[in-house]
Amino acid sequence: MATPFLAGLAVAAAALAGRYGLQAWQAFKARPPKARVRKFYEGGFQQKMTRREAALILGIRENVTPDKVKEAHRKVMIANHPDAGGSHYLASKINEAKDVMLGKTKDSGSAF
């Protein structure tokens, strides 16, 4: 007597779990896709460049080795070099960011 009851209970539990799973899957498929847009730093350049701003420009963390700074500078500079259609202003900011991260700062700031 207990065996058919337990079998029926197991079948009912499996049916409810399957129904819940299908409903969850349908809801998952129906949701709008999230835009996978990278959040960029909002705002312009500061008057005197800080290590934080320099790290944001180069796409690195504030406490990296000089080799990583040079590697990041090279990658960003290749993409923004004036000879390849990039801006002279951005190139000067990228160079300034490298100097700030390497500790070779000048008090005059950017050339622009």
Side-chain angles (χ1 to χ4, degrees), residues 55-94:
L56 285 170
I57 290 171
L58 295 176
I60 56 177
R61 294 187 180 191
E62 291 183 44
N63 54 354
V64 295
T65 62
D67 292 334
K68 294 277 187 184
V69 172
K70 291 175 185 174
E71 181 182 331
H73 172 263
R74 184 176 182 280
K75 286 181 183 177
V76 174
M77 199 60 180
I78 286 173
N80 295 291
H81 199 276
D83 291 344
S87 165
H88 289 281
Y89 179 72
L90 287 179
S92 70
K93 285 296 190 179
I94 293 166

Side-chain angles (χ1 to χ4, degrees), residues 8-43:
L9 192 60
V11 169
L16 286 174
R19 180 177 176 208
Y20 176 74
L22 284 174
Q23 287 175 349
W25 177 252
Q26 293 298 329
F28 176 75
K29 284 187 359 185
R31 68 176 169 77
K34 286 187 178 180
R36 294 186 182 192
V37 178
R38 192 171 168 187
K39 176 99 171 139
F40 291 102
Y41 177 72
E42 295 177 9

Side-chain angles (χ1 to χ4, degrees), residues 98-112:
K98 180 190 78 163
D99 291 342
V100 167
M101 292 300 291
L102 294 177
K104 302 177 185 175
T105 59
K106 299 175 188 171
D107 290 333
S108 63
S110 177
F112 292 95

